[in-house]
Each structure stands twice: as C-alpha cells, then as structure tokens.
C-alpha cells in the first residue's frame, strides 16, 4: 500500500537472517560473503540526523544520496571525497554535505574488518527545474565518471572507492557481512525513524569471485543469485556496440558512461551495469 514504516525494515532484516543458510562463510566464522538491504531514501530520518553534521536538506525528492565506500586511510579518503565533489560540480550539481555513516566494527570478523572501507553519504541537490528522472540519470552518469576517475584513474587511485548506491529514490546498506551483522554494523538501521515501504535483502554465496565489500548485494537495481555462463560474450557484445549507441535521454552524456560494464565486478554487478543503462535510456 506504499505506507512507510520502520517495522517493514525490521521484518526485512528478519527475512535476511532467516536466509543465513543461503549465504557463504569462509574459514573464519565471523566473516560472511556479503549481506545487505536496499530501501527507499528515509527522508524524515536523514532530515534529523544530517543536522548533526551541519547539513540542511531540502524537501523529499529534491536531493540524492551517494552511499560511498572509500579508502580507510583518512588522507586518501578525504582526497576521494574531494574528487567526487569536484566531479559533481563539473556536472552542474551541488553537494549539500557529507555525512560519515556510523558503524560498529566490533561486530564483524577480522578479515572483513581488515579490508573495511570508510563509509560516507554524500548529499546532492536536485537543480531547480530538473525532473526526478533526469536527476536520477545525471547521478548515474556522475557515478560512471567518478568510478573511472577515482578508482581507475591515473596516479593515486583509490582501490576502495565504490558507490553502493547513488539515487534520489533508494539507498543500499551492504558489506562483507553476515545477515545478523548487518543491523549491528550499520547503526542507522536500528533507528525507529528510518522507514521504507519497500526492501530488498540478500545474503551472498561467493562462487567465481572472491568476497569483497562492494560485491555484496543488493546492487543498484537488483539482487541476483548464480553465475551467468555467457558473461564474457555478453560483455564483448556490449563493448562492440558502444560506438553505435545513442539516446535522446542521454544526449551528450552518452559517451560519459562508457565503458558501460565494469569488468572488475561480479557477474551480477555486470548485469546490473547493463540494466542501469537500459533503465536510464528508457
């Protein structure tokens, strides 16, 4: 019925915990292959907690949130955030502020903690006169530019840089976690004001790629189990067609999203990459 509640979030996490047997665990029992949840942006919650970081948010739907992983090294993390803010400005968007996401690392295993990124939320203003669909598309374009510049660029790359989500509609909380660790690690998920009318949850079993924080699900649009046997052929077909791609919706931004597929990702992440292009292209 579209009614937002914290109860739904709690129920979704209970479902996730009941699916623990579907996920993978290595030799260390406290480090999982990955778990996460996708929710609607909890505006009332963000409007309250962002004030603690000096961030004044506009009305619901008038801003987007980038859920960012960055280097655990404070200096490198600061550089990645600054680079991301610079790219945001270059694309004609304004950053409202950056919020460090409160987490409790004491609940996760040694292996997961050893590679745990810095986790931040970057709040981005929707320009006056820009529709939500156009804003969502612009955020997608920006995410592709940021990935290329910060994670894959020349010089001082940040191998931790990854956007778990970037949207004015949804947000993803995920990581190299067991289902029971998700609400203990992300303190936001325990807040009664954090409400949503939808939730996707997933517990990962890593098969043909090693577990990592960014390979946990949900992806930007999907949760997905299993390997895709035709993945190499699919990726090559996409690459071959990039030179011919054009779109009235993307216009001059079309070239900015290439390469469409991030080949460092898992099979599911590559499927998500292509689904994003189809979705934003109409």
């Amino acid at each position: 019925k579209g009614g937002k509640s914290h109860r739904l979030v709690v129920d979704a996490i209970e479902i996730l915990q009941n699916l623990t047997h579907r996920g993978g665990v290595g030799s260390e029992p406290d480090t999982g292959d990955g778990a996460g949840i996708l929710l609607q942006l909890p505006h009332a919650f963000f409007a309250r907690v962002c004030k603690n970081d000096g961030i004044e948010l506009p009305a619901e739907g008038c801003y987007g949130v980038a859920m960012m992983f960055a280097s655990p090294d404070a200096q490198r993390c600061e550089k990645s955030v600054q680079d991301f803010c610079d790219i945001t400005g270059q694309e004609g968007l304004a950053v409202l502020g950056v919020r460090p996401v409160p987490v409790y690392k004491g609940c996760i295993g040694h292996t997961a903690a050893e590679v745990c990124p810095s986790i931040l939320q970057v709040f981005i203003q929707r320009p006056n006169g820009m529709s939500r669909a156009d804003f969502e598309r612009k955020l997608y374009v920006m995410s592709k530019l940021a990935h290329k510049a910060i994670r894959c660029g020349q010089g001082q790359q940040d191998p931790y840089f990854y956007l778990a989500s970037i949207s004015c509609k949804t947000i993803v909380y995920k990581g190299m976690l067991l289902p029971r660790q998700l609400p203990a690690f992300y303190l936001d998920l325990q807040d009664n004001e954090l409400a949503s009318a939808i939730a996707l949850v997933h517990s990962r079993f890593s098969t043909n790629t090693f577990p990592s924080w960014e390979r946990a699900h949900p992806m930007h649009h999907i949760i997905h189990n299993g390997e895709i046997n035709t993945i190499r052929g699919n990726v090559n077909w996409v690459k071959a067609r990039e030179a011919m791609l054009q779109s009235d919706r993307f216009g001059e931004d079309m070239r900015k999203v290439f390469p469409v597929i991030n080949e460092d990702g898992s099979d599911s992440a590559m499927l998500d990459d292509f689904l994003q292009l189809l979705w934003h292209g109409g």
Side-chain angles (χ1 to χ4, degrees):
K1 296 177 181 177
K4 296 182 180 181
S5 70
H6 183 65
R7 179 75 243 171
L8 184 135
V9 178
V10 171
D11 287 347
I13 291 170
E14 184 179 352
I15 289 170
L16 177 63
Q17 290 171 343
N18 288 340
L19 291 171
T20 296
H21 64 284
R22 294 282 293 133
V25 183
S27 58
E28 185 183 290
D30 282 344
T31 292
D33 281 2
I37 187 168
L38 178 148
L39 304 164
Q40 291 173 309
L41 282 191
H43 173 67
F45 168 76
F46 279 144
R48 188 189 90 232
V49 298
C50 282
K51 287 178 181 174
N52 299 331
D53 292 290
I55 304 168
E56 286 291 333
L57 293 181
E60 188 170 6
C62 293
Y63 64 94
V65 183
M67 187 75 160
M68 180 192 295
F69 293 170
S71 173
D73 176 76
Q75 202 169 356
R76 176 62 257 193
C77 175
E78 190 177 339
K79 172 81 164 60
S80 293
V81 171
Q82 186 56 56
D83 289 346
F84 181 78
C85 292
D86 289 346
I87 291 166
T88 306
Q90 289 160 16
E91 290 303 301
L93 302 176
V95 171
L96 295 163
V98 179
R99 174 185 180 245
V101 178
V103 298
Y104 172 56
K105 291 186 183 177
C107 72
I108 62 176
H110 173 73
T111 304
E114 211 169 43
V115 291
C116 182
S118 300
I119 305 174
L120 311 114
Q121 289 161 345
V122 184
F123 293 82
I124 302 162
Q125 173 92 47
R126 174 162 66 93
N128 290 332
M130 181 181 281
S131 72
R132 288 182 72 178
D134 287 342
F135 182 47
E136 196 81 349
R137 187 176 302 106
K138 194 64 178 175
L139 293 174
Y140 164 67
V141 170
M142 220 181 69
S143 73
K144 300 296 283 185
L145 291 171
H147 180 88
K148 286 183 282 190
I150 302 170
R151 186 175 176 123
C152 307
Q154 296 296 317
Q156 295 184 335
Q157 303 103 319
D158 182 354
Y160 286 87
F161 179 81
Y162 172 77
L163 297 176
S165 58
I166 179 167
S167 173
C168 63
K169 299 176 181 179
T170 58
I171 190 163
V172 172
Y173 288 85
K174 70 176 186 178
M176 204 167 153
L177 305 165
L178 294 164
R180 63 177 166 78
Q181 294 169 340
L182 182 70
F185 180 78
Y186 284 112
L187 304 185
D188 285 2
L189 297 176
Q190 300 175 28
D191 194 295
N192 288 330
E193 206 167 7
L194 187 133
S196 179
I198 63 165
L200 288 175
V201 293
H202 190 274
S203 179
R204 183 168 190 253
F205 195 109
S206 185
T207 51
N208 60 343
T209 50
F210 282 111
S212 70
W213 281 79
E214 68 266 23
R215 284 177 179 158
H217 292 232
M219 299 299 174
H220 293 90
H221 289 300
I222 63 167
I223 53 175
H224 174 260
N225 276 331
E227 299 171 31
I228 303 170
N229 295 330
T230 56
I231 194 72
R232 177 50 47 203
N234 292 349
V235 170
N236 287 338
W237 275 117
V238 175
K239 284 159 115 175
R241 287 183 166 96
E242 280 180 354
M244 297 180 287
L245 288 178
Q246 53 184 320
S247 164
D248 291 339
R249 301 197 185 200
F250 279 104
E252 293 301 309
D253 281 349
M254 188 80 255
R255 298 287 168 261
K256 294 177 182 177
V257 306
F258 300 157
V260 171
I261 310 295
N262 166 30
E263 294 185 57
D264 290 341
S266 64
D267 294 4
S268 300
M270 290 192 242
L271 171 61
D272 189 66
D273 284 340
F274 194 59
L275 183 61
Q276 285 190 91
L277 179 77
L278 294 179
W279 171 253
H280 292 299

